[in-house]
Amino acid sequence: MKLIRPAIFLTIFFTVFTGLIFPYALYAIGKLMPHQANGSLVTDAKGNVIGSELIAQPFSKPEYFHPRPSGTGDLGYGTTDKDHSFAGSSGTNLGPTSDKLINGIHKKTPDGKDDPNNFDGVVDLVKAYREENHLAPDALVPADAVTRSASGIDPQISPENALLQAPRVAAARKMSIEVVKKLIENETDGRLFGVFGDPAVNVLKLNMALDSAVK
């Protein structure tokens, strides 16, 4: 009886706590933060959901700021699966000394086409970033601009990354560079509680601010 009684008590306690109290407590907390609890969804002027603050989107046109590179493949930024849009989330799992991570893989199939398993390394991404943003061949590039995040769908970039993209965006939109920089400043989130993390810019929200500014 000495063992049965506490076993029955603990079973009832954890059943009530984990099955009722804990989930209802989380539900109540979610009601206090409906925006975050419902996925931090972003809507346009008509109220249509166009994305989430937590998930990057594949902006590639010169008039938009671009997110970090993604390692998620077809289930990431450029997914073609209509039933699971932007469902993929993964990193490359490559270590900092990996030759594949640094130099990439560039092979040809026997028929002369690019191998589907080719992979752009940091060297390739740095070169592409400098070219698309009209930077000098030896210009320093922020790490987040040429490395893939652990999730593969990081929605933010560093302010330094955004500022290097600003001239390209301003030229493509025929906007003042100062106006674009001001938008970056307005959309920059500071450190959590002023201490944790680094300042960051949400790419989706920044691009939405750009579109609103030219209307």
Side-chain angles (χ1 to χ4, degrees), residues 26-27 29-43 49 51-55:
L26 292 182
Y27 177 77
I29 294 173
K31 285 295 184 181
L32 298 176
M33 301 183 293
H35 178 66
Q36 293 86 344
N38 289 304
S40 301
L41 300 178
V42 178
T43 58
V49 175
S52 168
E53 296 175 6
L54 307 177
I55 302 176

Side-chain angles (χ1 to χ4, degrees), residues 7-176:
I8 293 175
F9 171 78
L10 288 174
T11 300
I12 295 174
F13 171 78
F14 282 110
T15 298
V16 173
F17 181 77
T18 60
L20 294 174
I21 297 176
F22 183 68
Y24 276 106
L26 292 182
Y27 177 77
I29 294 173
K31 285 295 184 181
L32 298 176
M33 301 183 293
H35 178 66
Q36 293 86 344
N38 289 304
S40 301
L41 300 178
V42 178
T43 58
D44 60 18
K46 297 180 180 179
N48 299 316
V49 175
I50 60 173
S52 168
E53 296 175 6
L54 307 177
I55 302 176
Q57 295 192 19
F59 293 100
S60 58
K61 293 182 179 179
E63 62 265 31
Y64 287 108
F65 286 90
H66 300 168
R68 294 183 63 173
S70 173
T72 57
D74 288 341
L75 284 178
Y77 292 168
T79 179
T80 56
D81 185 344
K82 60 180 175 52
D83 296 321
H84 302 90
S85 182
F86 308 110
S89 177
S90 68
T92 61
N93 293 325
L94 298 174
T97 60
S98 168
D99 183 70
K100 178 179 178 180
L101 176 70
I102 298 171
N103 296 307
I105 296 177
H106 311 90
K107 296 181 179 180
K108 295 288 186 180
T109 59
D111 59 0
K113 296 180 180 179
D114 288 334
D115 192 308
N117 294 316
N118 281 348
F119 180 87
D120 285 337
V122 172
V123 172
D124 304 303
L125 296 173
V126 168
K127 180 181 179 181
Y129 184 87
R130 287 170 175 161
E131 289 177 350
E132 75 175 5
N133 291 297
H134 311 295
L135 303 177
D138 59 349
L140 294 178
V141 174
D144 67 290
V146 295
T147 54
R148 300 162 176 88
S149 67
S151 69
I153 49 176
D154 192 340
Q156 298 173 317
I157 59 175
S158 66
E160 295 77 14
N161 187 348
L163 288 171
L164 284 177
Q165 296 187 52
R168 165 179 54 79
V169 173
R173 289 178 176 263
K174 295 181 172 56
M175 294 176 64
S176 164

